[in-house]
Coordinates of all heavy atoms in Angstrom, one line a residue:
V115 N -18.6 -55.3 96.6 CA -18.9 -56.0 95.4 C -19.6 -55.1 94.4 O -19.2 -55.1 93.2 CB -19.8 -57.3 95.7 CG1 -20.3 -57.9 94.4 CG2 -19.0 -58.3 96.4
Q116 N -20.6 -54.3 94.9 CA -21.2 -53.4 93.9 C -20.3 -52.4 93.4 O -20.3 -52.0 92.2 CB -22.4 -52.7 94.7 CG -23.6 -53.6 95.0 CD -24.2 -54.3 93.8 OE1 -24.2 -53.7 92.7 NE2 -24.7 -55.5 94.0
A117 N -19.3 -51.9 94.3 CA -18.3 -50.9 93.8 C -17.5 -51.5 92.7 O -17.1 -50.9 91.7 CB -17.5 -50.5 95.0
A118 N -17.1 -52.8 92.9 CA -16.2 -53.5 91.9 C -17.0 -53.6 90.6 O -16.4 -53.4 89.5 CB -15.8 -54.8 92.4
L119 N -18.3 -53.9 90.7 CA -19.1 -54.2 89.5 C -19.4 -52.9 88.7 O -19.7 -52.9 87.6 CB -20.4 -54.9 89.8 CG -20.2 -56.3 90.3 CD1 -21.6 -56.9 90.8 CD2 -19.6 -57.2 89.2
T120 N -19.2 -51.7 89.4 CA -19.4 -50.4 88.7 C -18.1 -49.8 88.3 O -18.1 -48.6 88.1 CB -20.2 -49.5 89.7 OG1 -19.6 -49.4 91.0 CG2 -21.6 -50.0 89.9
G121 N -17.0 -50.5 88.2 CA -15.8 -50.0 87.6 C -14.7 -49.6 88.5 O -13.8 -48.9 88.0
H122 N -14.7 -50.0 89.8 CA -13.6 -49.6 90.7 C -12.8 -50.8 91.0 O -13.3 -51.9 91.2 CB -14.2 -49.1 92.0 CG -15.1 -47.9 91.8 ND1 -16.5 -48.1 91.6 CD2 -14.9 -46.6 91.7 CE1 -17.1 -46.9 91.4 NE2 -16.1 -46.0 91.5
L123 N -11.4 -50.6 91.0 CA -10.5 -51.7 91.4 C -10.5 -51.7 93.0 O -10.2 -50.7 93.6 CB -9.1 -51.5 90.9 CG -8.1 -52.5 91.4 CD1 -8.4 -53.9 91.0 CD2 -6.7 -52.1 90.9
M124 N -10.9 -52.8 93.6 CA -11.1 -52.9 95.0 C -10.1 -53.8 95.6 O -10.0 -55.0 95.2 CB -12.5 -53.4 95.3 CG -12.8 -53.6 96.7 SD -13.2 -52.1 97.6 CE -14.6 -51.5 96.7
L125 N -9.3 -53.4 96.6 CA -8.3 -54.2 97.3 C -8.8 -54.3 98.7 O -9.2 -53.3 99.4 CB -6.9 -53.6 97.3 CG -6.3 -53.3 95.9 CD1 -5.0 -52.5 96.1 CD2 -6.1 -54.5 95.1
S126 N -8.8 -55.5 99.3 CA -9.2 -55.7 100.6 C -8.7 -57.0 101.2 O -8.2 -57.9 100.5 CB -10.7 -55.7 100.7 OG -11.1 -55.7 102.1
S127 N -8.8 -57.2 102.5 CA -8.4 -58.4 103.2 C -9.7 -59.1 103.7 O -10.7 -58.4 104.1 CB -7.4 -58.2 104.3 OG -8.0 -57.4 105.3
V128 N -9.7 -60.4 103.7 CA -10.9 -61.2 104.2 C -10.3 -62.3 105.1 O -9.3 -62.9 104.8 CB -11.6 -61.8 103.0 CG1 -12.8 -62.6 103.5 CG2 -12.1 -60.7 102.0
H129 N -11.0 -62.5 106.2 CA -10.5 -63.6 107.1 C -11.1 -64.9 106.6 O -12.2 -65.2 106.5 CB -11.0 -63.3 108.5 CG -10.1 -62.5 109.3 ND1 -8.9 -62.9 109.7 CD2 -10.3 -61.2 109.8 CE1 -8.3 -61.9 110.4 NE2 -9.1 -60.9 110.4
A130 N -10.1 -65.8 106.1 CA -10.4 -67.1 105.7 C -9.2 -68.0 105.9 O -8.1 -67.4 106.0 CB -10.8 -67.1 104.2
S131 N -9.3 -69.3 105.9 CA -8.2 -70.2 106.1 C -7.2 -70.2 105.0 O -6.0 -70.3 105.2 CB -8.7 -71.6 106.5 OG -9.5 -72.1 105.4
D132 N -7.7 -70.1 103.8 CA -6.8 -70.1 102.6 C -7.5 -69.4 101.5 O -8.7 -68.9 101.6 CB -6.4 -71.5 102.2 CG -7.6 -72.4 101.9 OD1 -8.6 -71.9 101.4 OD2 -7.5 -73.6 102.2
S133 N -6.9 -69.3 100.3 CA -7.4 -68.5 99.2 C -8.8 -69.0 98.7 O -9.6 -68.2 98.3 CB -6.4 -68.5 98.0 OG -6.1 -69.8 97.7
S134 N -9.0 -70.3 98.7 CA -10.2 -70.9 98.2 C -11.4 -70.6 99.2 O -12.5 -70.7 98.8 CB -10.1 -72.4 97.9 OG -9.7 -73.1 99.1
G135 N -11.1 -70.3 100.4 CA -12.1 -70.1 101.5 C -12.8 -68.8 101.4 O -13.8 -68.5 102.0
V136 N -12.2 -67.9 100.5 CA -12.8 -66.5 100.4 C -14.2 -66.6 99.9 O -15.1 -65.9 100.3 CB -11.9 -65.7 99.5 CG1 -12.7 -64.4 99.1 CG2 -10.7 -65.3 100.2
V137 N -14.5 -67.5 98.9 CA -15.8 -67.6 98.3 C -16.8 -68.0 99.4 O -17.9 -67.4 99.5 CB -15.8 -68.7 97.2 CG1 -17.2 -68.9 96.7 CG2 -14.9 -68.2 96.1
S138 N -16.5 -69.0 100.2 CA -17.4 -69.4 101.3 C -17.7 -68.3 102.3 O -18.8 -68.1 102.8 CB -16.9 -70.6 102.0 OG -16.8 -71.7 101.1
R139 N -16.6 -67.6 102.6 CA -16.7 -66.4 103.5 C -17.6 -65.3 103.0 O -18.4 -64.8 103.7 CB -15.3 -65.9 103.8 CG -15.3 -64.7 104.7 CD -15.8 -65.0 106.1 NE -15.7 -63.8 106.9 CZ -16.6 -63.6 108.0 NH1 -17.5 -64.5 108.2 NH2 -16.4 -62.5 108.7
L140 N -17.5 -65.0 101.7 CA -18.3 -64.0 101.1 C -19.8 -64.4 101.0 O -20.7 -63.6 101.2 CB -17.8 -63.6 99.7 CG -16.5 -62.8 99.7 CD1 -16.0 -62.6 98.3 CD2 -16.6 -61.5 100.5
I141 N -20.0 -65.7 100.8 CA -21.4 -66.2 100.8 C -22.0 -66.2 102.2 O -23.1 -65.8 102.3 CB -21.4 -67.7 100.2 CG1 -21.1 -67.7 98.7 CG2 -22.8 -68.4 100.5 CD1 -20.9 -69.1 98.1
D142 N -21.1 -66.5 103.2 CA -21.6 -66.3 104.6 C -22.0 -64.9 104.9 O -22.9 -64.7 105.7 CB -20.5 -66.7 105.6 CG -20.3 -68.2 105.6 OD1 -21.2 -69.0 105.1 OD2 -19.2 -68.7 106.0
L143 N -21.3 -63.9 104.2 CA -21.6 -62.5 104.4 C -22.8 -62.0 103.5 O -22.9 -60.8 103.3 CB -20.4 -61.7 104.2 CG -19.2 -61.9 105.2 CD1 -18.0 -61.1 104.8 CD2 -19.7 -61.5 106.6
K144 N -23.6 -63.0 103.0 CA -24.8 -62.7 102.2 C -24.5 -62.1 100.9 O -25.4 -61.3 100.3 CB -25.7 -61.8 103.0 CG -26.0 -62.3 104.4 CD -26.6 -63.7 104.5 CE -26.9 -64.1 105.9 NZ -27.3 -65.5 106.0
V145 N -23.4 -62.4 100.3 CA -23.1 -61.9 98.9 C -23.5 -63.1 97.9 O -23.2 -64.2 98.1 CB -21.6 -61.6 98.7 CG1 -21.4 -61.1 97.2 CG2 -21.2 -60.5 99.6
E146 N -24.3 -62.7 96.9 CA -24.8 -63.7 96.0 C -23.6 -64.4 95.2 O -22.7 -63.7 94.7 CB -25.8 -63.1 95.0 CG -27.1 -62.6 95.6 CD -27.9 -63.8 96.0 OE1 -27.7 -64.9 95.6 OE2 -28.9 -63.5 96.8
P147 N -23.6 -65.7 95.0 CA -22.5 -66.4 94.3 C -22.2 -65.8 92.9 O -21.1 -65.7 92.5 CB -23.0 -67.8 94.2 CG -23.9 -68.0 95.4 CD -24.6 -66.7 95.6
F148 N -23.3 -65.4 92.2 CA -23.1 -64.9 90.8 C -22.4 -63.6 90.8 O -21.6 -63.2 89.9 CB -24.4 -64.9 90.0 CG -25.3 -63.8 90.4 CD1 -25.3 -62.5 89.9 CD2 -26.3 -64.1 91.4 CE1 -26.2 -61.6 90.3 CE2 -27.2 -63.1 91.8 CZ -27.1 -61.8 91.2
L149 N -22.6 -62.8 91.9 CA -21.9 -61.5 92.1 C -20.4 -61.8 92.4 O -19.5 -61.0 91.9 CB -22.6 -60.7 93.1 CG -24.0 -60.2 92.8 CD1 -24.5 -59.4 94.0 CD2 -24.0 -59.3 91.6
I150 N -20.2 -62.8 93.2 CA -18.8 -63.1 93.6 C -18.0 -63.5 92.3 O -16.9 -63.1 92.1 CB -18.7 -64.2 94.6 CG1 -19.4 -63.8 95.9 CG2 -17.3 -64.6 94.9 CD1 -19.6 -64.9 96.9
A151 N -18.6 -64.4 91.5 CA -18.0 -64.8 90.3 C -17.7 -63.7 89.3 O -16.7 -63.7 88.6 CB -18.9 -65.8 89.6
S152 N -18.5 -62.7 89.3 CA -18.3 -61.5 88.4 C -17.3 -60.5 89.0 O -16.6 -59.9 88.2 CB -19.7 -60.8 88.2 OG -20.6 -61.7 87.6
A153 N -17.3 -60.4 90.3 CA -16.5 -59.3 90.9 C -15.1 -59.7 91.2 O -14.1 -58.9 91.1 CB -17.2 -58.8 92.1
V154 N -14.8 -60.9 91.7 CA -13.5 -61.3 92.3 C -12.6 -61.7 91.1 O -13.0 -62.6 90.3 CB -13.6 -62.4 93.3 CG1 -12.2 -62.8 93.8 CG2 -14.5 -61.9 94.5
I155 N -11.4 -61.1 91.0 CA -10.5 -61.6 89.9 C -9.4 -62.5 90.5 O -8.9 -63.3 89.8 CB -9.9 -60.3 89.2 CG1 -9.1 -60.8 88.0 CG2 -9.0 -59.5 90.2 CD1 -8.6 -59.6 87.2
G156 N -9.0 -62.3 91.7 CA -8.0 -63.1 92.3 C -7.9 -63.0 93.8 O -8.3 -62.0 94.4
V157 N -7.4 -64.0 94.4 CA -7.2 -64.1 95.9 C -5.8 -64.5 96.2 O -5.3 -65.5 95.7 CB -8.2 -65.0 96.6 CG1 -8.1 -65.0 98.1 CG2 -9.6 -64.7 96.1

Side-chain angles (χ1 to χ4, degrees):
V115 168
Q116 291 301 327
L119 292 174
T120 51
H122 304 90
L123 177 60
M124 176 77 60
L125 304 175
S126 187
S127 65
V128 180
H129 274 291
S131 58
D132 56 32
S133 55
S134 58
V136 166
V137 173
S138 298
R139 177 61 178 152
L140 290 175
I141 291 174
D142 288 342
L143 293 174
K144 311 301 181 186
V145 180
E146 294 289 347
F148 71 91
L149 293 177
I150 298 171
S152 300
V154 178
I155 188 174
V157 183

